[in-house]
Amino acid sequence: PRYKELGLIRASYQVFKNEGELVLYCEHLQTVKYNNPADFVGKTEK
């Protein structure tokens, strides 16, 4: 993200059919606004 008050989260989803048969896997990247950006200074990946 371009702004210090924003970050990225990654959510992954798996859908199974029957006994452990994976039929869908996806990942979503979403930009979110920090509640308190000062808590994450120096703790985020670039």
Side-chain angles (χ1 to χ4, degrees), residues 26-46:
C26 63
E27 289 186 352
H28 294 271
L29 292 177
Q30 185 174 5
T31 303
V32 295
K33 186 173 182 179
Y34 295 125
N35 284 333
N36 188 0
D39 290 344
F40 296 94
V41 172
K43 296 180 183 178
T44 57
E45 296 179 13
K46 293 188 178 194

Side-chain angles (χ1 to χ4, degrees), residues 13-17 21-25:
Y13 303 93
Q14 298 177 350
V15 178
F16 292 90
K17 176 177 151 182
E21 181 184 353
L22 181 65
V23 293
L24 174 71
Y25 176 82

